Amino acid sequence: MLSVISLFSGVLFGFGLALSGMVNPSKIIGFLDISGNWDPSLIFVMAGGVLVTIISFRFLLNRPTPIFGGKLVLPTKQDIDTPLLAGAGIFGIGWALGGFCPGPALSALAYGNEKVFIFVGAMIVGIAVAKIGLRSLRLA
């Protein structure tokens, strides 16, 4: 049952990304181009996501267990450190250059666009290199 719920959630998320234009790099780049021809429409997508989160978390976090079982694990780390800032910076640069966020890029694979496949491939390589780099730093 958990797999069915996960699949449904992923399909719903992907559909929402496509419907909102988040899988279109020119839409993202237009949003990030604040000094040129700025497209503010994605503010509504972000506001919708924040609104759903605020409403649902009020109910979900007050439950003793998650709705579909298991254990709810929330992050406990609260400090802002170098890896967080570096990761956020690299993420932002990649988003601005490629016009894709990882989730929408995976959803956009369904369109069969060559540029999306290149981006996702580069993203996977970047994740692997980062894991190897972090592992070697912890061993040093």
Side-chain angles (χ1 to χ4, degrees):
M1 186 63 178
L2 183 60
S3 296
V4 172
I5 292 167
S6 298
L7 176 63
F8 175 76
S9 299
V11 168
L12 182 64
F13 180 69
F15 179 74
L17 291 173
L19 183 66
S20 67
M22 292 286 288
V23 296
N24 182 355
S26 63
K27 185 97 166 153
I28 304 303
I29 292 169
F31 175 73
L32 296 172
D33 185 11
I34 57 174
S35 63
N37 190 17
W38 186 54
D39 178 3
S41 63
L42 291 182
I43 289 174
F44 296 105
V45 175
M46 290 184 231
V50 169
L51 182 64
V52 167
T53 300
I54 289 170
I55 292 169
S56 62
F57 271 36
R58 286 189 65 123
F59 297 105
L60 296 174
L61 294 178
N62 288 328
R63 296 182 52 81
T65 61
I67 293 171
F68 298 108
K71 181 180 175 188
L72 182 63
V73 180
L74 296 172
T76 57
K77 188 174 179 182
Q78 295 183 357
D79 56 326
I80 297 173
D81 57 6
T82 303
L84 175 66
L85 293 175
I90 292 168
F91 176 87
I93 291 167
W95 192 27
L97 291 174
F100 283 114
C101 184
L106 294 175
S107 296
L109 286 172
Y111 293 118
N113 185 324
E114 180 182 308
K115 291 179 181 179
V116 178
F117 283 97
I118 292 169
F119 179 87
V120 170
M123 180 177 74
I124 291 169
V125 169
I127 291 169
V129 168
K131 281 188 174 190
I132 292 167
L134 287 174
R135 237 184 273 135
S136 67
L137 286 174
R138 289 189 183 135
L139 295 174

